[in-house]
Amino acid sequence: GLFIRETTQVNHHTYRFSRRASAEGLVVVDDPRSIVRCTNKVYLAETLNRHRLATPRTLILSDENAAEGIRSLGFPCVLKAPDSAFSLGVKRIDSGEGLEERLEKFFAESDLLIAQEFVPTEYDWRIGVLGGSPLFACRYGMAPGHWQIVQRVGADVEYGDFSSVPIQQVPDEVLKLAVKSAALMGDGLYGVDLKVVGGKAMVIEVNDNPNIDAGIEDALLGDRLYQAVMHYFLSRFEEPRS
């Protein structure tokens, strides 16, 4: 088997390793299909919308209609590059001032962008889903004085607070939405980011390579989290192969 624990991208050695290992018949996490689906924010937004799963209002825009679409969405709003990850390539726009210049920078590197309604919350839910079942749950707080859980200022990176939560204490709506969203990407390991706004759960994105950091995501489960991952691999090893 192959267990990838490096940030994945399609134009990257992680994807090439994943494809080769999968072609050789190995059990792979993250499998190449999940990498392609989750790292493409356009595909992700369209898929969640097609299956009518709750998300903040989202538009997929090109250079020709971006300014008009963003103004129709309203300010503030969030702009995302199609291949953004770890808050990189994600910007908040608070007004129409200087909008054209900002868009010019976005479209210098991409043919499309994702504009999303800004829905502020004190924390984001991250639900780890493995093989179609919830694995862990965390609440990530926003970085101090910032609107995201990660704030980058030059080479400095600051994170908000976190707390691990027993699966049994996660609201049912959050768990169900996380599992449904992950199932649209595949049956491997995913980290589903959600917000609860006005009592309603919304999917922000589905990540194919979720953090599993000592003392954070494993704070409650400890070794049981890693045993669950190994059990997943073992069960896949023992499946009949066509």
Side-chain angles (χ1 to χ4, degrees):
L2 174 62
F3 189 27
I4 298 175
R5 288 280 78 206
E6 185 177 0
T7 303
T8 54
Q9 297 176 13
V10 172
N11 187 22
H12 194 248
H13 64 261
T14 49
Y15 181 62
R16 295 194 294 272
F17 268 91
S18 181
R19 283 190 62 187
R20 178 62 183 270
S22 182
E24 295 290 343
L26 276 69
V27 176
V28 184
V29 176
D30 303 327
D31 63 274
R33 182 179 64 174
S34 295
I35 294 175
V36 169
R37 290 178 172 180
C38 292
T39 59
N40 185 334
K41 298 295 188 292
V42 172
Y43 174 88
L44 181 61
E46 290 180 336
T47 301
L48 294 173
N49 180 63
R50 186 168 66 251
H51 288 269
R52 301 182 183 278
L53 298 187
T55 66
R57 186 183 171 203
T58 302
L59 300 175
I60 299 168
L61 304 170
S62 66
D63 193 9
E64 290 75 17
N65 64 357
E68 179 183 355
I70 290 169
R71 289 191 171 94
S72 73
L73 194 62
F75 300 101
C77 66
V78 177
L79 305 186
K80 300 180 180 182
D83 58 351
S84 57
F86 287 98
S87 299
L88 295 171
V90 179
K91 303 292 182 183
R92 190 179 77 180
I93 303 293
D94 292 323
S95 71
E97 184 177 352
L99 179 60
E100 283 69 21
E101 290 79 4
R102 290 184 179 227
L103 292 177
E104 186 176 348
K105 291 180 180 179
F106 259 94
F107 288 115
E109 299 182 1
S110 175
D111 291 332
L112 296 172
L113 69 78
I114 296 93
Q116 195 167 65
E117 174 189 11
F118 177 55
V119 284
T121 54
E122 292 185 7
Y123 59 84
D124 288 355
W125 281 103
R126 162 66 64 84
I127 307 298
V129 179
L130 176 64
S133 298
L135 176 63
F136 64 81
C138 284
R139 294 194 302 196
Y140 300 146
M142 302 300 127
H146 192 54
W147 61 279
Q148 294 171 291
I149 63 175
V150 180
Q151 182 175 22
R152 302 176 190 274
V153 181
D156 296 328
V157 181
E158 188 173 15
Y159 296 88
D161 294 332
F162 68 89
S163 60
S164 294
V165 180
I167 292 293
Q168 299 82 356
Q169 295 180 17
V170 179
D172 286 344
E173 183 184 6
V174 170
L175 277 183
K176 290 178 181 178
L177 188 54
V179 170
K180 286 181 181 179
S181 303
L184 297 177
M185 301 297 111
D187 63 354
L189 174 65
Y190 307 95
V192 185
D193 294 339
L194 308 97
K195 290 178 178 288
V196 177
V197 180
K200 181 179 180 180
M202 297 182 175
V203 181
I204 303 302
E205 62 184 28
V206 182
N207 303 279
D208 64 288
N209 194 283
N211 288 52
I212 301 180
D213 295 327
I216 302 179
E217 286 79 13
D218 72 354
L220 293 177
L221 294 175
D223 286 348
R224 286 178 293 160
L225 189 156
Y226 307 104
Q227 290 164 358
V229 173
M230 293 300 99
H231 179 76
Y232 172 83
F233 272 94
L234 179 61
S235 65
R236 293 289 308 277
F237 292 155
E238 294 177 342
E239 289 177 355
R241 299 294 181 86
S242 59

